[in-house]
Amino acid sequence: MDPFVDQLKTLSRAFPTRSKWVFVPTHAIGRTLGDRLVREGTDWANLRFVTPLDIALQMGAPFLVERGIDPSEEELGPALMMRLLLALPREGGYFRPLAGHPTLAQALWTTVRELRMAGLGPDTLTPAAFASPAKQAELVALLRAYERFLSNHKRADMAAVYQEAVRHPDWCPIQSQDCWTELPDANWNPLQRRLLDSLPGERFQPRAFVLAGIDIPRRLKPRPTTRVSPDVATNPLAFLMTPPSSAPSKARIDLFHAGGREAEIEEVLRRILATGASLDQVEIACASDAHIALVWEKALRHNWPVTLGAGIPATLTRPGRALVGLCDWIETDFAAGHFRRLLQSGDLSVKEQEGFTAGQAARALARAEAGWGRATYALSFTRLVKSYEVRAAESDASDDDRAYANERAEQAKQVRAWVTSLVDSIPAPAKDGTVALQAVVDGVLAFLEHRTMRSSALDHRAGGALVEYIGELRALGDFSCALPEALRFVRERVQSLTVAPERPRPGHLYACSLSQSGYADRAHLFVVGLEEGRVFAGSTEDPVLLDEERARVSEDLKHSTDRIDEAVYGVLSRLAVSGAHATFSYSCRDTREFRETFASWLMLQAYRLQQGNDALSYQEMKKALGEPKSAVPADRDTGLSASGWWLRSVAGTEEEGAGVVDAAFPNVARGRLAERQRDSATFTEFDGYVPQAGLALDPCAPGNLYSVTELEKAAECPFRLFLKRGLGLRPADERERDRDVWLDPLRRGSELHDVYAALLRKTRDEKRRPTLKDADWLVKYAQDRLEKLDEEMPAPTPEILERETKDFLDDVRLFVEAEVENGATTAVGLEVPFGRPLDGDEEPLARSEPVTISLGNGMTLKIAGRIDRINEVGAATFEVLDYKTGSYWRDDWKGVFAGGRRLQHALYGLAALELLKTRHAKPKLRGGVYYFSSHKGRGERVRIAAPALAAVGAVLADLRQVIASGHFTRTRDEDDCRYCDFVAACGSRANAQADAKLADAKSDAFKRLMNHA
């Protein structure tokens, strides 16, 4: 029973032909009340539900329009506040230095709008009311700037509309013979109250319940309202604050708690099914927007029709997610990894006529190895196209291979054009670092119209609403700011928009906030999310205008205590009028933060009301609630899906239930078998025992070619070799940008290698040794290269660019100094490739054919690679040198072969001898050097004498047997997994499981390999 609804029924019956006006906060509430009256058999002809704004527009808008002023909603509020704030001087400002804070604009707009709707202008904000003169001055400046904007653009906000309306009472559509009333306890602002108090016609005081145990909030007390006492038999929830001892409502109140938010909503849906009621007899009142969104997601999953009082945040729709992703991508400096994930998300649309799909574009982007920055896409895709064109021109390739390369080259060109056009649509900052906001808006709207996916009616509604909502930024006019600030305008538009708000509909479940509940009077009410701290916002003061300042400015302004008082009173008022069977619930576990959560006082009061005892404690309630509900139903027949049915069926049945699942799902059975086998001491196919692959991957098999690095990595983790070379798997190249780093270790090392080679080639061509004078030339060479890199992949900040450039150039100078001091060797080979296409490489010792190494017993191994440097150290005597640009740890460099993990000095040495035979009849190898050339490596050199050919052959023979026998074991050392791209394929216990397998006889070759120190 709702006394206000009963009052409307009485008015409709008493005055069937008289115009009756009912003021409500929203049209949705009015329509819902109208539907309810019809369902309950009331003819409500001539009953009109209106908002105060409806009347104000009819009274004031014609006069504003006559003066050329557009009366429009202040949808641009936060964006406009940001623009006006950025235009204020930063020096001496109070809020201006905080302009980059993402929520400041909304906070400022909320306060400015409240001041305006209270009829307060800049002149009312006197210095005496403020603790800070700077704050008072800036708020006054903001208000004046806002008023100037409205005046210059001929616009009227809602405050101006209300103020204009009261000047023209003769234009009021409510006549003196009409009657009107208002929704009880509606929290009208001062200008709305002034309008209502000025209206003609007979005014009926709205009827509402007396709520025992709680005071009427300060700002609601003056409102004329007739209070009536509720009946505990019909409205038990009106007694939440003062539970009667007889507990007459016990049969109509249920309570439960759940082990997580999702489990709570799952239990609600199960209980809805158990009631047997139609969905349009059920309402779910949610304590947070997150619960509303979760109800929506669950309803969609189970194909239940649902309407949402608050609507869906635009960020949960495909167009909204795509726009947020676009902003994120731009803010990461166009990082390719982020853009590839955006393509893979399904939120981007690629038109059929483009010639490729979003997935194909994502794969092409990964192959192009783009980094970040505007220029990276054109450069990387141009390299990719060229590589395909080279393959297509190879005379030795088959017709199919050439056709495939041509097809891929054409697709790469199409993707390049599509991506670069998107990058070009985002304006680049001018020399002063700013962009025109309208140019950004144009680019974003074009992206929204042509590149976002629309896969449902909701997506289409969201897309249309976003076009309109973001388009309103055009009203800000000519305005320039930094690109991140321009994106903040766009992001605020997206994040503040909700789409598809709906009132309760026939045949639909209805989910709403607690303050919206009860208007439809559905038979079943579920109140969810009643955790402490979630139901009502904390009584924190407004960060813009403190309570003390508000009290000095005007008693009409809301204080922090008013906010919580009005919220509590509003929720209790809505619950009080509900006569539904009510179920209250909360989640006792936060599954994201892995912590316990506790019930709100509202949950405790519901328990006390149910039990008829106002002295019960939280501990008694928790004990009475029993085991928390979970996503797994207590009874499998109440499961909402097949997965719920199965989970309940097998829970607690141990192996018997697992056997039933195995029989129904063979893939699950196979997975469980794999787990058991991996935990055993036997080396099985689930651990990497694949003899058939061993035959195909045998390093000595005809046609197989291995790089030296591949062989080292195979000794480190044979399983990784099987994944990469056996199965052809490749990790997704995320290329995620570290905002604190410009050049990652791999890129930095590669660039240093090229710089070192450039110097030594120059001195080699000039037939001289390096001198200290070469440092200036090499630093200039390196500086030019870094500048080019900064164009291709810009540094995150100028400070990072400066720091890393300095460190890089310091390492270059250190290299020159070391070369001058080391006069005993002469570089004869620099970055020497072999066994790979030369692609124009003019290094004299380079060759495209692989090097063949004999392992004895008629076995040979073909290898390929790139030797960093070959030094001549004596007459026809040489050493190979490998640069290491990282740190040096002495303990890591003991021994010769390190169990097969260190082969470069040996294999590159043998390869160098083979390459040098074009110049020397009998070249000799002294050994190998691992040179830590940077400051991090302290210039250390690890020298390893050339090992005997028999020793090299023994190591390679054992490594070959590991591979050829199909013994692709996982590494025993967890350090090997730390930066491995394939760690997800191995499981969390991979290292311990691999260690346990060493007892198997099949691991003998691997154990021998490990013992080659």
Side-chain angles (χ1 to χ4, degrees):
M1 179 264 189
D2 185 335
F4 182 64
V5 173
D6 287 347
Q7 182 182 18
L8 295 182
K9 293 177 183 178
T10 301
L11 288 175
S12 297
R13 288 192 294 267
F15 309 107
T17 60
R18 190 178 182 186
S19 292
K20 300 169 287 294
W21 303 77
V22 181
F23 285 92
V24 289
T26 67
H27 294 112
I29 291 176
R31 295 190 186 103
T32 301
L33 290 173
D35 290 346
R36 179 175 173 180
L37 290 173
V38 171
R39 288 200 318 270
E40 296 178 1
T42 299
D43 182 357
W44 55 288
N46 296 316
L47 185 66
R48 305 175 186 180
F49 293 98
V50 293
T51 66
L53 181 59
D54 295 334
I55 303 301
L57 285 171
Q58 292 186 57
M59 296 172 64
F63 297 92
L64 293 171
V65 172
E66 187 178 31
R67 300 199 297 271
I69 299 174
D70 177 21
S72 60
E73 290 279 4
E74 316 97 322
E75 298 297 343
L76 274 179
L80 179 56
M81 282 299 110
M82 178 60 69
R83 176 191 164 167
L84 298 178
L85 181 65
L86 291 173
L88 294 179
R90 186 182 182 91
E91 189 70 27
Y94 190 87
F95 298 107
R96 176 61 182 86
L98 304 175
H101 197 282
T103 60
L104 178 62
Q106 182 61 54
L108 284 171
W109 170 241
T110 300
T111 300
V112 167
R113 190 174 192 275
E114 186 180 0
L115 289 170
R116 294 278 299 171
M117 293 304 290
L120 302 174
D123 294 335
T124 62
L125 303 183
T126 60
F130 290 82
S132 166
K135 180 199 281 191
Q136 184 267 345
E138 198 162 65
L139 272 180
V140 168
L142 264 180
L143 277 168
R144 293 195 190 283
Y146 177 69
E147 291 178 348
R148 281 197 303 272
F149 178 88
L150 295 178
S151 175
N152 294 339
H153 290 79
K154 297 291 185 179
R155 300 186 68 171
D157 62 2
M158 292 304 97
V161 171
Y162 281 108
Q163 288 168 337
E164 186 71 24
V166 296
R167 298 190 187 106
H168 307 283
D170 50 325
W171 278 69
C172 180
I174 301 176
Q175 302 302 307
S176 59
Q177 67 272 21
D178 298 345
C179 62
W180 62 274
T181 187
E182 60 186 286
L183 190 73
D185 298 323
N187 205 350
W188 310 119
N189 57 54
L191 289 184
Q192 289 173 325
R193 291 203 307 267
R194 188 183 306 169
L195 174 65
L196 293 178
D197 291 342
S198 70
L199 295 178
E202 183 180 2
R203 181 176 190 173
F204 287 95
Q205 289 191 7
R207 295 168 62 85
F209 280 138
V210 175
L211 299 183
I214 183 170
D215 294 331
I216 299 173
R218 173 182 70 91
R219 300 197 308 160
L220 295 182
K221 283 182 180 179
R223 304 306 299 156
T225 304
T226 301
R227 306 283 174 179
V228 297
S229 297
D231 184 347
V232 72
T234 58
N235 294 85
L237 298 184
F239 297 86
L240 269 171
M241 302 306 293
T242 55
S245 59
S246 58
S249 56
K250 187 170 184 178
R252 300 174 60 191
I253 296 178
D254 289 327
L255 304 100
F256 73 87
H257 60 166
R261 192 184 298 171
E262 290 206 25
E264 182 182 6
I265 301 303
E266 286 280 334
E267 176 64 15
V268 166
L269 299 189
R270 287 194 292 264
R271 292 185 178 224
I272 292 172
L273 282 181
T275 64
S278 61
L279 291 180
D280 56 12
Q281 288 300 307
V282 181
E283 180 176 293
I284 303 177
C286 303
S288 72
D289 291 340
H291 283 85
I292 295 177
L294 188 55
V295 171
W296 173 68
E297 291 173 6
K298 294 287 186 182
L300 286 183
R301 186 177 304 170
H302 299 300
N303 201 27
W304 288 18
V306 61
T307 59
L308 308 176
I312 284 293
T315 52
L316 295 182
T317 66
R318 289 186 185 278
R321 289 197 303 263
L323 278 179
V324 171
L326 175 71
C327 294
D328 290 341
W329 176 50
I330 297 171
E331 288 175 347
T332 60
D333 200 10
F334 300 91
H338 188 96
F339 187 61
R340 195 180 75 251
R341 288 194 297 274
L342 190 56
L343 284 166
Q344 293 169 332
S345 69
D347 296 332
L348 290 194
S349 171
V350 178
K351 297 185 182 302
E352 187 175 349
Q353 57 265 35
E354 297 290 349
F356 57 89
T357 66
Q360 289 172 330
R363 290 190 291 274
L365 188 58
R367 287 191 292 269
E369 297 184 347
W372 56 83
R374 289 175 175 271
T376 189
Y377 296 97
L379 292 169
S380 59
F381 272 105
T382 298
R383 288 195 297 265
L384 181 63
V385 169
K386 184 178 179 181
S387 70
Y388 281 131
E389 290 174 343
V390 168
R391 288 188 222 172
E394 289 179 0
S395 57
D396 295 337
S398 67
D399 291 344
D400 288 344
D401 288 345
R402 286 199 298 271
Y404 177 82
N406 275 320
E407 180 184 331
R408 284 289 176 264
E410 186 59 32
Q411 186 182 87
K413 291 177 184 177
Q414 294 168 334
V415 176
R416 177 180 62 188
W418 187 83
V419 175
T420 54
S421 69
L422 174 58
V423 173
D424 292 343
S425 70
I426 306 301
K431 290 183 179 180
D432 61 357
T434 65
V435 295
L437 176 62
Q438 298 309 319
V440 175
V441 171
D442 290 341
V444 168
L445 288 177
F447 172 82
L448 183 59
E449 289 277 17
H450 303 296
R451 301 180 193 254
T452 58
M453 178 64 73
R454 317 286 171 89
S455 62
S456 67
L458 181 63
D459 287 339
H460 283 282
R461 290 182 66 175
L466 284 166
V467 167
E468 181 179 347
Y469 211 55
I470 294 173
E472 289 173 351
L473 289 172
R474 298 190 189 282
L476 295 182
D478 295 333
F479 174 65
S480 295
C481 58
L483 183 56
E485 292 171 349
L487 294 175
R488 199 172 301 130
F489 283 99
V490 175
R491 194 186 292 273
E492 182 275 328
R493 295 272 84 192
V494 180
Q495 293 176 340
S496 63
L497 177 65
T498 57
V499 295
E502 292 275 4
R503 59 191 175 93
R505 297 282 188 182
H508 288 64
L509 179 67
Y510 181 60
C512 62
S513 65
L514 287 176
S515 60
Q516 291 178 313
S517 67
Y519 289 111
D521 193 35
R522 293 189 166 186
H524 299 275
L525 173 65
F526 291 85
V527 183
V528 302
L530 299 181
E531 295 101 59
E532 183 59 41
R534 188 182 297 278
V535 183
F536 303 107
S539 58
T540 54
E541 295 191 44
D542 175 25
V544 175
L545 205 57
L546 300 178
D547 283 351
E548 187 177 350
E549 294 165 337
R550 287 169 171 267
R552 294 190 189 120
V553 171
S554 172
E555 64 177 10
D556 287 330
L557 296 179
K558 184 187 297 185
H559 301 168
S560 59
T561 53
D562 294 330
R563 188 181 307 113
I564 187 69
D565 290 346
E566 291 168 9
V568 171
Y569 194 83
V571 169
L572 292 178
S573 296
R574 295 314 312 152
L575 292 176
V577 299
S578 174
H581 183 124
T583 301
F584 295 80
S585 62
Y586 76 100
S587 168
C588 61
R589 192 75 186 168
D590 188 320
T591 55
R592 295 187 177 183
E593 298 184 6
F594 303 102
R595 62 180 178 85
E596 186 178 3
T597 53
F598 303 93
S600 161
W601 61 262
L602 190 59
M603 185 77 184
L604 177 62
Q605 289 301 123
Y607 173 63
R608 288 170 171 173
L609 177 60
Q610 182 200 49
Q611 298 299 318
N613 185 346
D614 61 1
L616 294 173
S617 65
Y618 279 100
Q619 292 76 13
E620 290 170 311
M621 178 186 70
K622 190 170 183 179
K623 181 179 179 181
L625 292 178
E627 188 74 16
K629 304 299 180 183
S630 77
V632 180
D635 182 344
R636 69 181 187 179
D637 291 332
T638 65
L640 297 170
S641 62
S643 59
W645 187 92
W646 272 105
L647 285 171
R648 173 44 59 201
S649 297
V650 301
T653 60
E654 299 183 353
E655 284 302 315
E656 181 182 358
V660 175
V661 174
D662 288 348
F665 301 98
N667 287 339
V668 174
R670 187 75 171 165
R672 283 170 26 82
L673 173 62
E675 281 298 310
R676 290 195 298 271
Q677 292 295 329
R678 282 189 169 189
D679 286 333
S680 71
T682 305
F683 191 77
T684 71
E685 63 266 36
F686 300 107
D687 302 292
Y689 183 54
V690 193
Q692 297 88 339
L695 296 174
L697 298 179
D698 182 355
C700 295
N704 277 352
L705 176 66
Y706 277 82
S707 72
V708 176
T709 301
E710 271 186 305
L711 293 172
E712 289 180 330
K713 294 298 183 182
E716 182 180 286
C717 181
F719 186 66
R720 180 168 50 205
L721 174 74
F722 171 68
L723 294 178
K724 291 182 67 174
R725 187 151 178 161
L727 298 183
L729 299 181
R730 292 294 181 270
D733 183 12
E734 294 298 332
R735 304 285 288 177
E736 190 64 57
R737 185 170 193 184
D738 186 338
R739 300 298 296 178
D740 296 322
V741 175
W742 176 32
L743 301 178
D744 60 47
L746 190 63
R747 169 67 73 173
R748 189 178 193 275
S750 174
E751 295 298 331
L752 282 173
H753 277 56
D754 291 344
V755 170
Y756 297 162
L759 171 65
L760 296 178
R761 282 176 179 146
K762 180 176 185 295
T763 57
R764 183 180 65 184
D765 293 343
E766 295 172 358
K767 295 182 174 54
R768 64 178 179 84
R769 293 195 51 76
T771 67
L772 291 177
K773 294 181 180 179
D774 290 315
D776 292 340
W777 178 87
L778 190 60
V779 166
K780 177 64 168 58
Y781 179 92
Q783 183 73 58
D784 291 344
R785 177 57 191 152
L786 293 177
E787 289 176 0
K788 185 177 181 181
L789 269 178
D790 189 39
E791 293 178 5
E792 297 176 6
M793 299 186 302
T797 65
E799 292 77 15
I800 291 174
L801 174 64
E802 181 181 359
R803 183 189 71 225
E804 293 197 23
T805 297
K806 179 180 180 302
D807 292 344
F808 190 96
L809 297 180
D810 285 346
D811 285 345
V812 169
R813 294 187 184 93
L814 178 66
F815 176 78
V816 175
E817 294 170 4
E819 287 302 308
V820 172
E821 293 176 4
N822 181 30
T825 64
T826 302
V828 297
L830 299 164
E831 302 296 330
V832 184
F834 61 94
R836 302 286 190 227
L838 297 183
D839 293 332
D841 195 313
E842 298 180 358
E843 185 64 29
L845 293 176
R847 80 180 199 188
S848 58
E849 297 82 13
V851 171
T852 301
I853 296 176
S854 175
L855 301 183
N857 298 322
M859 292 183 297
T860 58
L861 172 69
K862 293 181 179 180
I863 61 172
R866 179 182 292 269
I867 303 173
D868 289 352
R869 181 168 164 182
I870 302 175
N871 286 334
E872 187 171 7
V873 295
T877 304
F878 303 88
E879 69 181 10
V880 291
L881 182 145
D882 189 76
Y883 296 117
K884 301 294 182 185
T885 54
S887 300
Y888 170 72
W889 301 99
R890 187 178 304 277
D891 291 343
D892 292 342
W893 290 91
K894 295 178 180 178
V896 177
F897 297 109
R901 298 168 179 235
R902 188 181 305 133
L903 298 175
Q904 288 190 13
H905 63 283
L907 296 185
Y908 279 164
L910 295 174
L913 291 178
E914 187 69 22
L915 299 175
L916 288 164
K917 286 180 181 179
T918 59
R919 297 184 176 184
H920 302 272
K922 294 182 179 180
K924 293 181 291 186
L925 183 72
R926 186 173 76 178
V929 180
Y930 294 95
Y931 176 25
F932 292 82
S933 58
S934 68
H935 279 86
K936 280 187 175 182
R938 305 188 300 277
E940 292 283 350
R941 297 175 189 253
V942 178
R943 299 184 181 274
I944 302 178
L949 186 59
V952 178
V955 176
L956 293 178
D958 287 335
L959 177 56
R960 183 248 175 178
Q961 186 173 351
V962 169
I963 297 173
S965 66
H967 187 273
F968 300 106
T969 183
R970 294 165 291 174
T971 179
R972 300 163 58 239
D973 188 349
E974 65 180 17
D975 288 340
D976 296 335
C977 304
R978 187 164 297 159
Y979 302 108
C980 177
D981 294 319
F982 298 92
V983 67
C986 297
S988 59
R989 305 191 307 278
N991 308 123
Q993 289 171 338
D995 191 57
K997 305 291 180 177
L998 290 178
D1000 192 303
K1002 292 191 283 292
S1003 300
D1004 288 348
F1006 187 68
K1007 286 189 287 187
R1008 291 198 304 272
L1009 177 64
M1010 291 166 50
N1011 289 329
H1012 287 289

